[in-house]
Amino acid sequence: MTTMKLALRVAYDGTAFYGFQRQPGVRTVEGELIRVLTKLRIIKSPEENDFKGASRTDRGVSAFFNVVSFVPGERSDLALPRILNHHLSDVWVLGVAEVPDDFHPRFWARGKTYRYYLINEGFDLSRMLECAELFEGTHDFSAFSRLEPGRNPVREVTSLEILPRNGYYVVEIKGNSFLWEMVRRIVNALRFCGLGLLEKEEVKGMLEGIYTKKIPPAPAENLVLWHIKYPGIEFKTDEKGLNKARRDLFDRYSKALTRAALFGDALLEL
């Protein structure tokens, strides 16, 4: 049995799971990964093989770059994207890296990027951009998160961009760590500002602790964990593994685009 530790870069469709973290009786991303890794005898159990995850995304949230690590067992040779993706469903391994024994996917992360896909409802972009500027830097995000007991509500947003696309915006938020529902509540604040339902001064006050109600979270299905930075760690992949991911993602894309076209035409006829 090898003592080498491996890390997998994984992507997944969050709408197919009840969140990332394994839970009894429901389908989760960790549960799907552990199912395949144990089936192929790459690990014996998550406890025995030190299985760890980087980010515990909520129910409905997707990822293009999340990471798990483990000490492989007798069939470490099967820990390849082309093999794992053949057995996985709604999850794709996009890279494998050999990592040091003390590697932990959460504690070794040096920055995360989230993207939220927001349909343009006729927003005033200038108001949204003014609001976005307020979130950059270090603040108490109690008004923009669902706080867990004992967690420090102070976080740093290193960058917040609103990227215009054809009919929608991509809100890209970068930081070292995030609170529960923090990104989705920030996005809803931007949305409310863009619709004229929230003023810049109100957002400023909320960041200073002046508020009676919190901003509710935007829907989880439009959020994706886009990237995690690991300096010095190189994730390697293979073409067969990537092709499987491309085929599956294109299938989802084509179905969603067809449905969007159908409803778009229906709206135009009303």
Side-chain angles (χ1 to χ4, degrees), residues 183-211:
V183 173
R184 291 195 284 139
R185 290 174 188 260
I186 289 174
V187 167
N188 239 1
L190 297 175
R191 177 174 168 267
F192 292 162
C193 284
L195 292 172
L197 303 175
L198 191 66
E199 297 297 327
K200 177 182 177 181
E201 290 72 22
E202 292 178 275
V203 174
K204 188 174 184 293
M206 295 178 80
L207 289 168
E208 294 170 352
I210 306 168
Y211 61 94

Coordinates of all heavy atoms in Angstrom, one line a residue, residues 183-211:
V183 N -21.8 34.8 -0.5 CA -21.7 35.2 -1.9 C -23.2 35.5 -2.4 O -23.4 36.5 -3.0 CB -21.0 34.2 -2.7 CG1 -21.1 34.5 -4.2 CG2 -19.6 34.1 -2.3
R184 N -24.1 34.6 -2.1 CA -25.4 34.7 -2.6 C -26.2 35.9 -2.0 O -27.0 36.5 -2.7 CB -26.2 33.4 -2.3 CG -25.7 32.2 -3.1 CD -26.7 31.1 -3.1 NE -26.7 30.3 -1.9 CZ -27.8 29.9 -1.3 NH1 -29.0 30.2 -1.7 NH2 -27.7 29.2 -0.2
R185 N -25.9 36.3 -0.8 CA -26.5 37.5 -0.2 C -25.9 38.7 -0.7 O -26.6 39.7 -0.9 CB -26.4 37.4 1.4 CG -27.2 36.3 2.0 CD -27.0 36.2 3.5 NE -27.7 35.0 4.0 CZ -28.9 35.1 4.7 NH1 -29.5 36.2 4.9 NH2 -29.4 34.0 5.2
I186 N -24.6 38.7 -1.0 CA -24.0 39.9 -1.7 C -24.6 40.1 -3.0 O -24.9 41.2 -3.5 CB -22.4 39.7 -1.8 CG1 -21.8 39.8 -0.4 CG2 -21.8 40.7 -2.7 CD1 -20.3 39.5 -0.4
V187 N -24.8 39.0 -3.8 CA -25.3 39.1 -5.1 C -26.7 39.7 -5.1 O -27.1 40.5 -5.9 CB -25.4 37.7 -5.8 CG1 -26.3 37.7 -7.1 CG2 -24.0 37.3 -6.2
N188 N -27.5 39.3 -4.1 CA -28.9 39.8 -4.0 C -28.9 41.3 -3.6 O -29.7 42.1 -4.1 CB -29.7 39.0 -3.0 CG -31.0 38.4 -3.6 OD1 -31.2 38.6 -4.8 ND2 -31.7 37.7 -2.7
A189 N -27.9 41.7 -2.8 CA -27.7 43.1 -2.5 C -27.4 43.9 -3.8 O -28.0 45.0 -4.0 CB -26.6 43.3 -1.5
L190 N -26.5 43.4 -4.6 CA -26.2 44.0 -5.9 C -27.5 44.1 -6.8 O -27.8 45.1 -7.5 CB -25.1 43.2 -6.7 CG -23.8 43.1 -6.0 CD1 -22.9 42.2 -6.8 CD2 -23.2 44.5 -5.8
R191 N -28.2 43.0 -6.8 CA -29.5 42.9 -7.6 C -30.5 44.0 -7.1 O -31.1 44.7 -7.9 CB -30.1 41.5 -7.5 CG -31.4 41.4 -8.2 CD -31.9 39.9 -8.2 NE -33.2 39.8 -8.6 CZ -34.3 39.8 -7.8 NH1 -34.1 39.9 -6.4 NH2 -35.5 39.7 -8.2
F192 N -30.7 44.1 -5.8 CA -31.6 45.1 -5.2 C -31.1 46.5 -5.6 O -32.0 47.4 -5.9 CB -31.7 44.9 -3.7 CG -32.4 43.7 -3.3 CD1 -32.2 43.2 -2.0 CD2 -33.2 42.9 -4.2 CE1 -32.9 42.0 -1.6 CE2 -33.8 41.7 -3.8 CZ -33.6 41.3 -2.5
C193 N -29.8 46.7 -5.5 CA -29.3 48.1 -5.9 C -29.6 48.4 -7.3 O -30.0 49.5 -7.7 CB -27.8 48.1 -5.6 SG -27.3 48.3 -3.9
G194 N -29.4 47.4 -8.2 CA -29.6 47.6 -9.6 C -31.1 47.8 -10.0 O -31.4 48.4 -11.0
L195 N -32.0 47.3 -9.1 CA -33.4 47.5 -9.3 C -34.0 48.8 -8.6 O -35.2 49.1 -8.7 CB -34.2 46.3 -8.9 CG -34.0 45.0 -9.7 CD1 -34.6 43.8 -9.0 CD2 -34.5 45.2 -11.1
G196 N -33.1 49.5 -7.9 CA -33.5 50.6 -7.2 C -34.2 50.3 -5.9 O -34.9 51.2 -5.3
L197 N -34.1 49.1 -5.4 CA -34.8 48.7 -4.1 C -33.9 48.9 -2.9 O -34.3 48.8 -1.8 CB -35.2 47.2 -4.2 CG -36.1 46.9 -5.4 CD1 -36.4 45.4 -5.4 CD2 -37.5 47.6 -5.3
L198 N -32.6 49.2 -3.1 CA -31.6 49.3 -2.1 C -30.7 50.4 -2.4 O -30.2 50.5 -3.6 CB -30.9 48.0 -1.8 CG -30.0 47.8 -0.6 CD1 -30.8 47.9 0.7 CD2 -29.2 46.5 -0.7
E199 N -30.4 51.3 -1.5 CA -29.5 52.4 -1.7 C -28.1 52.1 -1.3 O -27.9 51.3 -0.4 CB -30.0 53.7 -1.0 CG -31.3 54.2 -1.4 CD -31.4 54.6 -2.9 OE1 -30.3 55.1 -3.4 OE2 -32.4 54.4 -3.5
K200 N -27.1 52.7 -1.9 CA -25.7 52.5 -1.6 C -25.5 52.8 -0.1 O -24.7 52.1 0.6 CB -24.9 53.5 -2.5 CG -23.4 53.5 -2.2 CD -22.7 54.5 -3.1 CE -21.2 54.5 -2.7 NZ -20.5 55.5 -3.6
E201 N -26.1 53.9 0.4 CA -25.9 54.2 1.8 C -26.4 53.1 2.8 O -25.9 52.9 3.9 CB -26.6 55.6 2.1 CG -26.0 56.8 1.5 CD -26.2 56.8 0.0 OE1 -27.2 56.2 -0.5 OE2 -25.4 57.5 -0.7
E202 N -27.5 52.4 2.4 CA -28.0 51.4 3.2 C -27.0 50.2 3.3 O -26.8 49.6 4.3 CB -29.4 50.9 2.6 CG -30.5 51.9 2.7 CD -31.8 51.4 2.1 OE1 -31.9 51.5 0.9 OE2 -32.6 50.8 2.9
V203 N -26.4 49.9 2.1 CA -25.4 48.8 2.1 C -24.2 49.2 3.0 O -23.7 48.3 3.7 CB -24.9 48.6 0.6 CG1 -23.8 47.6 0.6 CG2 -26.1 48.1 -0.2
K204 N -23.8 50.4 2.9 CA -22.7 50.9 3.7 C -23.0 50.7 5.2 O -22.2 50.3 6.0 CB -22.4 52.4 3.4 CG -21.1 52.9 4.0 CD -20.8 54.3 3.5 CE -19.5 54.9 4.0 NZ -19.6 55.1 5.5
G205 N -24.2 51.1 5.5 CA -24.7 51.0 6.9 C -24.7 49.5 7.4 O -24.3 49.2 8.5
M206 N -25.1 48.6 6.5 CA -25.2 47.2 6.9 C -23.8 46.7 7.1 O -23.6 45.8 8.0 CB -25.9 46.4 5.8 CG -27.4 46.8 5.6 SD -28.2 45.9 4.3 CE -28.6 44.4 5.1
L207 N -22.8 47.1 6.4 CA -21.5 46.6 6.6 C -20.9 47.2 7.8 O -19.9 46.7 8.4 CB -20.6 47.1 5.4 CG -20.8 46.3 4.1 CD1 -20.1 46.9 2.9 CD2 -20.4 44.8 4.2
E208 N -21.5 48.3 8.3 CA -21.1 48.9 9.6 C -21.9 48.4 10.8 O -21.7 48.9 11.9 CB -21.1 50.4 9.5 CG -20.1 51.0 8.5 CD -20.4 52.5 8.2 OE1 -21.4 53.0 8.7 OE2 -19.6 53.1 7.5
G209 N -22.8 47.5 10.5 CA -23.6 46.9 11.6 C -24.9 47.5 11.8 O -25.6 47.2 12.8
I210 N -25.4 48.4 10.9 CA -26.6 49.1 11.1 C -27.7 48.5 10.2 O -27.7 48.8 9.0 CB -26.5 50.6 10.8 CG1 -25.3 51.3 11.6 CG2 -27.8 51.4 11.0 CD1 -24.9 52.6 11.1
Y211 N -28.5 47.7 10.8 CA -29.6 47.0 10.0 C -30.6 46.3 10.9 O -30.3 46.0 12.1 CB -29.0 46.0 9.0 CG -28.3 44.8 9.7 CD1 -28.9 43.6 10.0 CD2 -26.9 45.0 10.0 CE1 -28.3 42.6 10.6 CE2 -26.2 43.9 10.6 CZ -26.9 42.7 10.9 OH -26.2 41.7 11.5

